[in-house]
Amino acid sequence: MAERQLMTGNEAMAEAAIRAGLRAYFGYPITPQNEVLEYMAAHLPQAGGAFLQAESEVAAINMCYGAAAAGVRAMTSSSSPGVSLKMEGISYLAGADLPCVILNAARGGPGLGNIAPAQGDYFQATKGGGHGDYRLIVLAPSTGQEAAELAGLAFDLSDRYRVPALILADGMLGQMMEPVTLPPPRDPGTLPPKPWALTGAKGREPNLIASFALEPTVLREINVKRYARYREIEAREVRWEEVATEDAEVLLIAYGTMGRIAKTVVRRGRERGVKVGLLRPITLWPFPYAPIRTLAERVKAILTVELSAGQMWEDVRLAVEGRTATPFYGELGGVVPTPSDILQEVLRYA
Amino acid sequence: MPKGKVVVDRERCKGCGLCVAVCPFGVLDLSKDYNSSGYAVVTAVHPEACTGCALCAQTCPDVAIEVYREKAAAGTPTRGAGRP
Amino acid sequence: MPEAETMVKVFARPTSLNEKHFTYCPGCDHGLITRLVAGAIDKLGVQERTVFIAPVGCAVFAYEWFRCDGIQASHGRAAAVATGLKRANPDLVVISYQGDGDLAAIGTAETIHAANRGEAITVIFVNNQIYGMTGGQMAPTTLPGQRATSCPEGRDVATMGHPLPVAEMIATLAAPAYVTRQSLHDPRHVAQAAKAIEKALRYQVEGKGYSLVEILATCPTGWRMPPAVAHQHVADVVTGAFPLGDLVDRG
Ligand SMILES: Cc1ncc(C[n+]2csc(CCOP(=O)(O)OP(=O)(O)O)c2C)c(N)n1
Ligand code: SF4
Ligand code: SF4
Ligand code: SF4
Ligand SMILES: [Mg+2]
């Protein structure tokens, strides 16, 4: 039942989310993700789901908290400033072990910044953002097709581990028209049951959902248990793509939109006989430390390329631990480097 | 024979005195009996005067009082939600 | 107990409360309101459909005391959480229980918009004119001249604003089914408040929509008053600033 159709990345993610069994979406307008909100307004009610334009991003994430607690697949989308506002709610979702999918079509920052593609929200997405010891599953698509696939995966992983999942995209990915093959729709009734959900205490003990435990030893125990799940995710769910890494001398590391541009760099470099390869993290958390470490043993340099001042770069250096050179190339403010800009940089280490 | 009777759950009682103030017949008073949380527990010092009107229970913030009434005078039982 | 044969129980613990003890201070009206909410759940027979939302405030534990599903919301966001629950599953009976700092300061936006959309939820608004849990700071509802730890000389309306008339504000909206202000300062008012809570919950069950029950409550600890004196203060002073009664009834 696979259908291939031309659609924007934002539409692909929205439609894929609905097909994954999404039944409650709450959002607030902000560029460059308005198409997601609008797509949901037009299509989610027909699919039997609840759509509501919230009064703010704060309200939207808390509506997700309520809907997720009720046991349905819930989602919100926003862009950087709005995601900042959601952070308290995201921490509560994490602390209450509720599944939820959050899409960040990131933009230039800090502050109001601009609406150009940027990757300055990597720290916020992968290192906390909200308060407390928690993790989000962070997925970074680089094409419309992958965006659709990761939207579905985000719900499955989030439900399986009871950990909120964040899709880190940007406006370039969201607005680019590409052919996408969508998965068939799933009936929410066929998804694994959620015995913890708040459905009314009929014929069972009451279910309680909270992130609250005054007694330190109790809260520690809850956190320790959650960390065991995080360890399981780190062991089982790391995803990445490698391009021409077998004989690479210079390894590029880039994700999302930048990962897509880096692929072009590899192609052009190879055409000119430059032994350049690419490792593209697909999960930013859990981060592909191990494969990067393996490649670090045999390449001359690992060049991290980001639309930021070097955020993922910190994880790359943690993976490499001095095994090879770890230069960085970044652009700021929503400026996107061209493949030739990056190839120039690669040649310095080849 | 009194018309009513109160049973105070001494572990729930926090000795706030609201029931003492509201009882129209001076049935209740704070005692020198302290519960395990250290609160002086309320007791019926004049149980014979109790009418079973339940005003004390209606007022108790800790739901520490249950009220009984003579069958003849009882009417409909109240379960927490306001008087009949 | 020889009386047992001739006596019947006329006041018992609501069945939708479990056996746990409340964590409120002695004489705090929160306990009374918690009991009235449980009584209304009993009366309407909706214990198996109810989700109780506890706020951040002295009622933060309240979700643990009901024999109902429960959830703890972040500070001020209970109305949004209620919206999410109800939209995701309209069969649920959703009760949002919130203090005045929670509902009328940090959560004002969520409060107004949930009311304006006519979400089919019941909001219990505990107006004790103070931030109880954090130690007695000024609330949006603190009376003019009233002292609190963050306005030690008393609330000066010229710089700190006036007490926020929440029920009146919500009553200006087109959607709410029932908006009322109640008090607990004597048994008659307790009985009226019980009826109001029951009505608010019944309107939700009957699909009539949004209700807000504002309840003038005491905070003996924060007010530094013995509980009975605090009730007298509500009767003499607080009800003057916050008039009692139904503001909207579209039942
Ligand atoms: C975001 C956030 N800000 C502040 C607090 C601290 N805080 C906890 S309870 C509270 C005020 C509660 O006052 P109110 O809502 O009136 O409830 P009461 O305790 O009086 O019943 C505050 C400010 C918090 N938990 N979260
Ligand atoms: S039931 Fe009435 S008379 Fe008896 S103790 Fe309580 S308030 Fe007093
Ligand atoms: S009102 Fe309740 S808690 Fe207060 S003294 Fe009486 S029985 Fe005890
Ligand atoms: S601080 Fe005030 S509101 Fe909080 S439990 Fe104590 S008396 Fe009640
Ligand atoms: Mg308060």
Side-chain angles (χ1 to χ4, degrees):
Chain A
M1 229 193 89
E3 323 150 28
R4 198 169 157 83
Q5 54 193 91
L6 208 59
M7 59 205 310
T8 67
N10 279 339
E11 287 169 346
M13 286 186 279
E15 179 57 31
I18 294 174
R19 289 176 181 229
L22 174 73
R23 285 302 174 268
Y25 170 93
F26 307 98
Y28 187 82
I30 183 170
T31 309
Q33 63 79 54
N34 294 319
E35 299 78 9
V36 178
L37 176 90
E38 289 156 3
Y39 194 93
M40 292 301 181
H43 297 98
L44 186 54
Q46 292 167 12
F51 165 86
L52 184 63
Q53 178 173 331
E55 58 270 29
S56 70
E57 289 87 350
V58 177
I61 193 74
N62 284 284
M63 290 170 184
C64 282
Y65 178 86
V72 307
R73 287 193 157 178
M75 176 181 182
T76 184
S77 62
S78 189
S79 179
S80 309
V83 176
S84 290
L85 274 181
K86 291 183 194 294
M87 278 299 153
E88 185 201 29
I90 290 174
S91 169
Y92 271 71
L93 284 163
D97 300 312
L98 287 175
C100 182
V101 172
I102 303 121
L103 165 63
N104 181 2
R107 53 189 248 178
L112 194 53
N114 62 24
I115 57 172
Q119 298 183 323
D121 296 358
Y122 180 93
F123 284 155
Q124 185 196 53
T126 63
K127 310 285 174 186
H131 58 286
D133 260 328
Y134 77 89
R135 291 292 190 178
L136 297 178
I137 295 167
V138 184
L139 305 170
S142 69
T143 64
Q145 180 62 42
E146 194 177 32
E149 286 163 11
L150 293 188
L153 180 69
F155 285 102
D156 287 344
L157 293 180
S158 188
D159 274 1
R160 186 173 314 146
Y161 296 102
R162 295 182 64 182
V163 170
L166 187 139
I167 301 170
L168 190 55
D170 61 49
M172 190 179 276
L173 183 75
Q175 260 132 18
M176 201 158 359
M177 276 276 201
E178 289 184 287
V180 175
T181 304
L182 290 161
R186 291 169 71 179
D187 173 2
T190 63
L191 296 170
K194 295 176 175 174
W196 45 263
L198 308 183
T199 52
K202 190 171 183 165
R204 60 157 168 79
E205 285 299 299
N207 283 338
L208 302 179
I209 288 179
S211 58
F212 180 54
L214 266 189
E215 179 56 49
T217 54
V218 173
L219 186 56
R220 176 183 60 187
E221 208 43 48
I222 294 169
N223 276 288
V224 165
K225 276 197 187 138
R226 188 176 304 119
Y227 260 83
R229 294 209 308 284
Y230 290 164
R231 295 284 105 89
E232 200 185 328
I233 295 170
E234 285 172 330
R236 294 170 53 172
E237 306 297 350
V238 182
R239 286 166 169 79
W240 73 96
E241 183 192 16
E242 290 185 31
V243 182
T245 52
E246 307 77 28
D247 60 343
E249 289 175 355
V250 178
L251 179 71
L252 289 168
I253 301 198
Y255 71 92
T257 285
M258 211 53 247
R260 177 191 188 110
I261 296 169
K263 267 192 194 172
T264 310
V265 177
V266 171
R267 188 161 32 80
R268 291 205 196 152
R270 289 284 168 171
E271 281 163 14
R272 291 171 53 174
V274 184
K275 289 192 168 170
V276 56
L278 166 70
L279 185 146
R280 182 176 65 86
I282 296 170
T283 52
L284 300 181
W285 192 85
F287 190 73
Y289 291 108
I292 293 176
R293 192 165 298 145
T294 306
L295 288 168
E297 300 287 357
R298 55 174 208 248
V299 299
K300 283 202 256 176
I302 293 184
L303 175 63
T304 305
V305 192
E306 286 180 75
L307 300 175
S308 81
Q311 298 196 5
M312 179 180 66
W313 190 32
E314 291 192 358
D315 280 326
V316 173
R317 284 180 290 167
L318 272 177
V320 172
E321 282 181 321
R323 288 175 177 85
T324 186
T326 49
F328 175 75
Y329 182 80
E331 267 296 4
L332 293 170
V335 176
V336 182
T338 63
S340 25
D341 293 337
I342 300 167
L343 191 53
Q344 268 327 104
E345 201 62 22
V346 169
L347 291 174
R348 291 176 55 189
Y349 307 100
Chain B
M1 185 75 169
K3 285 205 300 249
K5 180 172 127 81
V6 291
V7 177
V8 178
D9 180 337
R10 59 186 301 285
E11 283 305 317
R12 284 189 197 282
C13 176
K14 292 177 181 160
C16 72
L18 283 174
C19 57
V20 178
V22 86
C23 174
F25 305 104
V27 173
L28 304 167
D29 205 354
L30 293 179
S31 68
K32 296 222 159 46
D33 171 24
Y34 294 90
N35 65 17
S36 64
S37 309
Y39 294 119
V41 174
V42 100
T43 47
V45 288
H46 292 295
E48 71 288 352
C50 179
T51 63
C53 69
L55 291 183
C56 53
Q58 298 288 354
T59 306
C60 175
D62 285 280
V63 209
I65 306 177
E66 291 199 327
V67 183
Y68 296 80
R69 208 181 294 165
E70 276 293 330
K71 259 183 191 154
T76 356
T78 305
R79 252 202 188 278
R83 301 173 64 213
Chain C
M1 214 191 275
E3 297 99 322
E5 284 124 49
T6 55
M7 289 206 160
V8 289
K9 205 184 260 190
V10 290
F11 186 99
R13 195 174 173 74
T15 53
S16 55
L17 282 181
N18 60 30
E19 292 306 316
K20 287 189 186 155
H21 291 200
F22 298 163
T23 50
Y24 303 122
C25 303
C28 174
D29 276 348
H30 265 302
L32 203 41
I33 300 168
T34 306
R35 195 262 294 170
L36 296 182
V37 171
I41 294 171
D42 281 8
K43 209 145 197 187
L44 291 161
V46 291
Q47 182 197 329
E48 294 180 334
R49 289 169 59 193
T50 297
V51 177
F52 181 91
I53 307 175
V56 173
C58 284
V60 68
F61 284 112
Y63 69 102
E64 289 196 1
W65 302 329
F66 290 83
R67 292 188 211 274
C68 303
D69 282 358
I71 183 167
Q72 207 282 309
S74 63
H75 192 24
R77 316 301 169 204
V81 175
T83 299
L85 279 158
K86 191 78 185 192
R87 297 265 178 153
N89 182 356
D91 291 337
L92 295 175
V93 174
V94 180
I95 302 173
S96 176
Y97 184 108
Q98 301 176 256
D100 40 18
D102 190 86
L103 179 143
I106 193 168
T108 317
E110 286 78 3
T111 298
I112 288 176
H113 288 281
N116 194 45
R117 291 188 302 262
E119 296 294 342
I121 60 172
T122 304
V123 179
I124 307 296
F125 170 38
V126 181
N127 174 358
N128 60 8
Q129 302 111 60
I130 205 152
Y131 281 31
M133 186 187 223
T134 39
Q137 295 82 8
M138 187 181 76
T141 44
T142 296
L143 299 184
Q146 182 187 337
R147 288 173 201 268
T149 57
S150 54
C151 57
E153 304 303 321
R155 182 178 192 158
D156 176 3
V157 295
T159 58
M160 302 167 195
H162 296 263
L164 205 70
V166 171
E168 285 80 359
M169 285 166 56
I170 298 300
T172 63
L173 304 173
Y178 183 48
V179 181
T180 185
R181 186 182 284 118
Q182 300 289 328
S183 172
L184 306 169
H185 60 268
D186 61 30
R188 186 170 63 85
H189 284 89
V190 173
Q192 277 172 11
K195 288 210 178 90
I197 293 173
E198 199 185 303
K199 183 192 265 193
L201 207 55
R202 182 157 48 78
Y203 279 11
Q204 178 177 175
V205 173
E206 290 171 355
K208 292 190 174 127
Y210 176 96
S211 295
L212 178 118
V213 183
E214 174 170 342
I215 302 174
L216 302 182
T218 56
C219 170
T221 305
W223 295 3
R224 295 167 213 278
M225 283 181 200
V229 176
H231 272 161
Q232 196 55 50
H233 174 75
V234 173
D236 296 344
V237 178
V238 184
T239 50
F242 291 110
L244 302 179
D246 291 353
L247 289 92
V248 169
D249 189 344
R250 297 191 176 99

